[in-house]
């Protein structure tokens, strides 16, 4: 009887100390568009499946310019992704005003991480979206992933959304540190296609060490 | 037993990460009046079924002037639609005061999206209404749909409310980019009739690239 | 199992997207006094059954003067009706102070609609009362009904409270646009009697295009 | 299954739109002391059973002076009655300060009605007490009853508390408009005794048109 | 099914309009120390059983000096009694500061009553303690009892706590209006012993008309 | 059915008026370290078992200096004990600042009692810790125990935590009013050992009438 | 039946006075990375398993610089660890600003303890992370562990996270007070490997008495 009691009373935590609402938010991420980020020392590419829409509806923007040197993409509830992008843009401008310099990618990821974490503590809804950030700062070209729990990762290859496991396998097996920008885009395309198994269009954003600019590529439509 | 626990504890999120209250709000939208928006490069038409009312009751206004260049329509709980229209009007006037220029259609849609999204995070009720916005701004004639989750879409043909699937089929099969305004209205009429299967009157609003004005057409009654 | 989960978790919304507490508030309205409003181009009449009371108790006032040109009546919980009447009076005076002119009937109805709508969003009680407003303004003699959900209707014939369906049938079958004020009062009386099936006294309020005044008629007791 | 869902979710409203907590508050009133008010054009009498107490305990005061021209009595939870009496006294003094005149009886009743109504909307406890007010103002001698829901009644004969139905029958069958003050007191006594069926002492308060004073009569003990 | 619904939904009120949490608070009082107050025109005595404690633990103070002319005792949760005593002392000092005179006993009881009543309305815990107040003021020697519901009584003999019914029987059968102070103390002792059936020590406080002073008698230990 | 209802609805109070969460907090105290206080006219000793810890972990401090003349110890949740110690230190310093004198032991206990009591009224967690206070003030050497409910006791021998009943038996049977400080420490040691049945180390704090100083003895490790 | 009631009503406390949500938070800690701290008089070493990540993902930082003389590591939810690290850094800087000196290790641990404890009292989520602090201050090289309940320990050897029991056994059996820094690192490595049973990389931080500096060692990747 006791274990039933223990199971019934927790509100935030479920059995074995899992954060029940955060786990559910992650499930929402796993149903989002296939979205990836790949990085070398010189370049980073963000790429996201533009989910096939009905005719006469433009696919939603999936690659977002945050600052001149910084971009982001996300998967999960569109409304939640949009809120996080807005938060990234605001905190990036605040950084410029406060420190008179561009925010470095790690700080941007940490800010977003704190922001998401707050939603896991109080009786509100943890946001159902993960974000991948790519940018160039004095430490080089950087790539981060931030999750609904407020956890963030730094790395050279990330995939989120539906089919992210298949995408990761492709990235991991074909990644090389000396790929050109064009090769990175090809790898990103192949990784997404391996997950979506269809002709979904893909939106790209790229950042280069040289020039330190994040650019959205012309969207296919 | 564990899966029962997981199923019972979530409050905002249901199984598989769905937002339970937002899904319910969408069901309310699906029971609303058949409402559509169609756009070409030169024109956009908003059209909404005036649900047959009792004798001696005027059908409720379904097409709303937001600003001189911007109009909107909606489906779902009437009280919720009215609240969103009021929000659109206020944020449009705020934009004029702050930036000394008319709000562009995308910004209006984004504002409404943020507004709706807030209601999905806290322990309040997500609003049970979707809105279609049409307007003319320096980027041309634009058409957006915004949903209870805060998601928004840009496109050339939208339908919400009951029978929206039937309406969309008609629009998709007959849409041409070079339709005249009169042809757009005819298409809108046909699309709504295919869903309502009756003689419901229809209210129209139109916006033209030339002159950049949104106008409600004379209501039939 | 899933449908049980979905059914159990919603708080504001019930199955199929209904607003559970608002539906319950409407049931309270349906148990109120039979109350009607009829309008022509020249006159509007508000009439409400004075529910038979015990001896030695005066029937409660059912027709309320809001402003010199505007009156209202309501059905549902008396305390809720009184609160709405108070709100109408206050917002009408605010309008005079702000705009230096009498509030038009549509604006008064919209204000009341917003006021009621707020109670449907938060964890408070939606008010259990519907209101019929009649007034004369520069657009002519106008008649509106406002419901607990914040929905409002404009028209020429409304009935709320118990037996409202019977009353509406009478009004719809006998309404003519050229009825005199006396004929309107006769029609209102007949409509209420058809619902109450008894000798309940009726309180009346009238507004005429000429003179733009709303007047409560001498109450029968 | 659906009807179960509908039954379970409401919080303020129960089935058929009843206000569950307010109904419960009324049950508390119905268990209170038998308490009545009777009015003619010239006099009003408030009378309330002093519930038999243990030896050595003074019966609680049941007739309260609100202002020189105004008195009140109540039935239900004593703590709730006391709170309402305090509210009446404060709002009566506020009226004197604001308008430099004594509050009229109707306004006092309306203020109390609004005060009680607030407790029915939010997640607090509706007060379990009804009040009868008697006073003399420029409109004559007036008598009002105010209930937990915020509903108020104007009349010439009221009874609340346990046995109120029996008391009302006596008042209704023997009331005459030309009764003297002494006859009113006799009628009040008879009405209360018919309900209590015992020798409970009774406390009285009277107001006369002449002189416009409310006076508590000497309490029997 | 309906009655189940009605039973399940109330929060503050239980079936038949009882205040569920307040009833529970009264049960806590009924398990407290046997505590009594007796009054004649010239004297009042407060007496409370000092519950047998473990060796080496002093019995808790049960008679509290509130002001020079006013004392109190209580039964129920000790923490709650202490909070009420603190409230009495503070409100008594406030009265001196505001009116430049000692608080009369009735006003002290009314203040405490309002204080306790607030805890019955909101989602907090009604305090589980009753208090007996004795004091001397211009109206003579006065004795009041105040309960968790905010109800207060005036009288010449009160008993609260466990065995209060037995104590009351003794007081009622032996009380005489002309008892001397010593006789009152003897009666108080006998009344408490009849309830406790043991050798519990008793703490006393007395107030006399002459001199208008409340004094704690030397505690037995 | 009724009794089920009564059992289900209470939130703060359980059946028979028990404070459910406070009872649970007391259970937490009963699982804490064996902790005692003993007092004569000249000395007081606080002693607390240092629960056997893992190797390489210092036992937690159990005797706390509050002020130069005042010390405390506690049993229950360590985090809760620490919070109470912090509260005692702050309120002791506040007393010095406000009254320019050291707080007397009774006032310190009363302050802590009020602080703990607040946590029993609102929808927060009652703290799971009891505290024993020892100090020297103008009234002599004093010893108090304060419990989660806000109840406090004054005395010459207290024991809290696991095995407190065994400890108390030892103290009660061997206590003498003329014990020397060294004998008090021996008694304290014997009392704790009788409960812990092991070689747990013990931390001591002592206060003497002469000099009015509270001193922690050198901790054994 | 009664015991069921008692079991159902508690919210914060479960049966036997356990803090249900805090227990769940501890389970989250127990699933974290194996993380240890070892101290001698001259050195302290923090070491934490870098959980094997996917290829192309950098392992998350596990050793955090708090101040020049102070470092920390943690196990549990990464987002919660990050929040605690941020709190440590802020409170350390506050201490410098307020007292113009570096925070001592005990004060840093106490601050963190209070911070964590607050989350156990209110209706929020206790944080699911434990922290080990190492630093050098005027009292020497110090090592503390702080848990979700707000409990903190001082010692020479701690292990948290998954496999912490195995790690502790290794530390306890091989610890010597005169180990060199290099030997401490070897012991830390052996302790972690005994728990992880794999080739997980390990991140180190060290603090020395001489120089009073905390340094993160070069991370292996």
């Amino acid at each position: 009887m006791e274990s039933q009691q223990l199971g019934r009373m927790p509100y935030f935590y479920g059995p074995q100390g899992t954060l029940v609402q955060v786990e559910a938010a992650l499930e929402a991420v796993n149903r989002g568009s296939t979205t990836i980020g790949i990085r070398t020392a010189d370049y980073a590419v963000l790429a996201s499946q533009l989910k096939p829409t009905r005719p006469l509806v433009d696919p939603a923007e999936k690659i977002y310019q945050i600052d001149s040197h910084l971009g982001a993409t996300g998967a999960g509830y569109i409304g939640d992704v949009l809120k996080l992008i807005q938060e990234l843009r605001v905190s990036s401008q605040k950084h410029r005003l406060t420190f008179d310099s561009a925010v470095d990618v790690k700080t941007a990821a940490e800010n977003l991480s704190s922001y998401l974490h707050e939603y896991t503590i109080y009786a509100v809804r943890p946001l159902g979206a993960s974000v991948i950030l790519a940018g160039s700062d004095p430490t080089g070209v950087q790539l981060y992933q931030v999750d609904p729990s407020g956890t963030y990762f730094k790395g050279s290859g990330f995939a989120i959304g539906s089919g992210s496991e298949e995408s990761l396998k492709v990235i991991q097996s074909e990644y090389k540190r000396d790929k050109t920008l064009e090769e990175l885009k090809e790898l990103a395309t192949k990784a997404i296609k391996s997950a979506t198994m269809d002709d979904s269009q893909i939106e790209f954003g790229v950042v280069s060490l040289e020039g330190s600019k994040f650019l959205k590529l012309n969207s296919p439509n």
Side-chain angles (χ1 to χ4, degrees), chain A residues 177-188:
Chain A
R177 290 178 163 253
D178 58 356
K179 283 206 185 256
T180 63
L181 179 56
E182 209 50 41
E183 288 168 340
L184 283 182
K185 283 170 59 183
E186 275 164 30
L187 175 55

Side-chain angles (χ1 to χ4, degrees), chain A residues 36-39 132 143 145 154-159 168 171-172 175:
Chain A
I36 70 176
I38 318 180
R39 181 191 75 100
I132 301 176
L143 188 75
Q145 175 182 332
K154 182 187 173 191
S156 300
F158 294 119
L168 275 177
I171 296 171
Q172 290 164 8
Y175 178 82

